[in-house]
Amino acid sequence: MTEAWRPEDDEPRGASGPVRVRVPAKINLHLGVGPLRGDGYHELNTVYHAISIHDELTARRGDTLTLTMEGEGTGELALDESNLVIRAARALASSVGVPPHARLHLRKQIPLAGGLAGGSADAAAALVACDALWGTGLSRDELAEIAAGLGSDVPFLIHGGTALGTGRGEAVSPVLARPTIWHWVVAVADGGLSTPVAYRELDRLRAAGAAGPPLGSTDTLLAALRQRDPRVLAAALGNDLQDAALALRPSLAATLKAGEAAGALAGIVSGSGPTCVFLATGAADAERIATELDALDVCRQARTAHGPVAGARIG
Ligand code: ATP
């Protein structure tokens, strides 16, 4: 992609001080799951939406590649070669031919295995941070190409905003609508749900004729976004994985019911769950619904968020 690194290039290139990157969580406004493909992935038809819950990755110069962390998942999440931050740093280094040397520190607010793509977000943050630290100067599209090899949601988290995802989700194109800020309540559950397990459960439910009809095209959702009316958007939200998440975690039905009883316009499971997200009419309404949910025993924590927000960015 770029010229190979040479030792004499090392010092003048890249950032001398720490590089701090903020990266958002994602929800899916529409998650249409098509048939299982030969490569083991499902064909997706999705509308991604980046929301204002952020992880932060700081990259400093180092003699080896190391990762430390604080916040959500500390003590649970492995910080070794399996971590998506390390995998992303190595993928960038080998793609551009530089040594993968950095001291990385992750401050995590996105819950683990929550259906908010936290791991993918961290991979996107690592690509952007190491690109700046090493002075490799790749474009966002070049970074998104490396991102696609790390996970289906990673390219979207490089770009952010609201975007259409096709293929296994890695083919991303921005949704061009007049900017509207949508207000959400994010009900974080105790513990996570495994994404592959949720997909397998959907396959099982479909084979047994026990899943709802597939959502299909994103046309209704895209038209709803253009109308800029939260009531219209609420009616268009949908997630084919919701039946699977509810089968695996039946208590989520009570969470969804409580949000709607508290006045949310609609509630859906986010991605493969178990996080549930609720659309509110505005910021004050979202605060009120979050406070009400927090007083009930239906989630670990209810937070407010807005979207769309930018993808992985320095600063
Ligand atoms: P998605 O919505 O993309 O399916 P998710 O939000 O349900 O993902 P993640 O938090 O992205 O789940 O994590 C899924 C798994 O990825 C974790 O259980 C963990 O084993 C692995 N993982 C590797 N690196 C990370 C990371 N930096 N943060 C979170 N999970 C990571």
Side-chain angles (χ1 to χ4, degrees):
M1 267 175 186
T2 59
E3 280 177 27
W5 173 85
R6 296 184 305 271
E8 63 272 25
D9 290 340
D10 190 28
E11 280 317 310
R13 295 178 74 180
S16 50
V19 178
R20 194 182 67 133
V21 170
R22 263 159 59 88
V23 66
K26 68 87 195 151
I27 62 176
N28 302 78
L29 305 180
H30 173 113
L31 178 49
V33 182
L36 187 60
R37 311 191 312 194
D39 62 2
Y41 290 98
H42 290 80
E43 192 68 27
L44 297 188
N45 208 359
T46 189
V47 177
Y48 290 116
H49 184 67
I51 60 167
S52 61
I53 295 178
H54 289 93
D55 281 357
E56 188 184 289
L57 186 75
T58 306
R60 295 182 169 80
R61 290 199 172 260
D63 301 327
T64 57
L65 183 60
T66 59
L67 173 62
T68 51
M69 77 172 290
E70 63 189 288
E72 284 281 337
T74 304
E76 248 178 279
L77 183 62
L79 298 173
D80 58 13
E81 294 295 320
S82 69
N83 196 292
L84 279 157
V85 169
I86 298 286
R87 288 174 48 205
R90 288 205 186 281
L92 174 65
S94 77
S95 153
V96 295
V98 301
H101 293 169
R103 286 185 295 136
L104 304 171
H105 183 73
L106 179 62
R107 287 181 64 194
K108 209 157 169 53
Q109 290 199 45
I110 307 174
L112 273 198
L116 296 170
S120 303
D122 298 343
L127 292 177
V128 171
C130 291
D131 177 61
L133 187 75
W134 297 334
T136 43
L138 298 194
S139 67
R140 284 204 169 252
D141 285 344
E142 286 170 320
L143 290 177
E145 222 171 277
I146 302 173
L150 294 161
S152 305
D153 296 339
V154 188
F156 169 69
L157 289 152
I158 296 275
H159 296 295
T162 303
L164 196 60
T166 53
R168 55 182 168 83
E170 86 292 2
V172 174
S173 52
V175 170
L176 298 173
R178 276 194 296 160
T180 307
I181 301 289
W182 306 101
H183 295 274
W184 303 94
V185 177
V186 179
V188 177
D190 271 318
L193 269 183
S194 149
T195 304
V197 169
Y199 276 98
R200 278 202 294 278
E201 179 64 12
L202 177 63
D203 291 338
R204 194 190 65 77
L205 291 172
R206 282 181 170 171
L215 283 176
S217 142
T218 52
D219 291 354
T220 307
L221 193 282
L222 295 175
L225 280 172
R226 285 193 292 272
Q227 290 193 52
R228 310 174 80 206
D229 177 344
R231 284 178 184 77
V232 176
L233 182 62
L237 297 173
N239 178 2
D240 277 342
L241 277 178
Q242 182 155 315
D243 287 339
L246 285 168
L248 294 167
R249 186 75 69 87
S251 63
L252 295 181
T255 311
L256 290 172
K257 214 166 145 197
E260 286 172 15
L265 298 174
I268 50 168
V269 169
S270 175
S272 54
T275 306
C276 293
V277 292
F278 299 94
L279 183 59
T281 52
D285 194 37
E287 287 291 351
R288 187 189 55 71
I289 295 165
T291 306
E292 211 165 302
L293 283 183
D294 259 338
L296 303 170
D297 193 20
V298 292
C299 58
R300 166 158 68 94
Q301 187 195 23
R303 324 176 38 159
T304 58
H306 62 269
V309 297
R313 292 288 182 280
I314 294 173

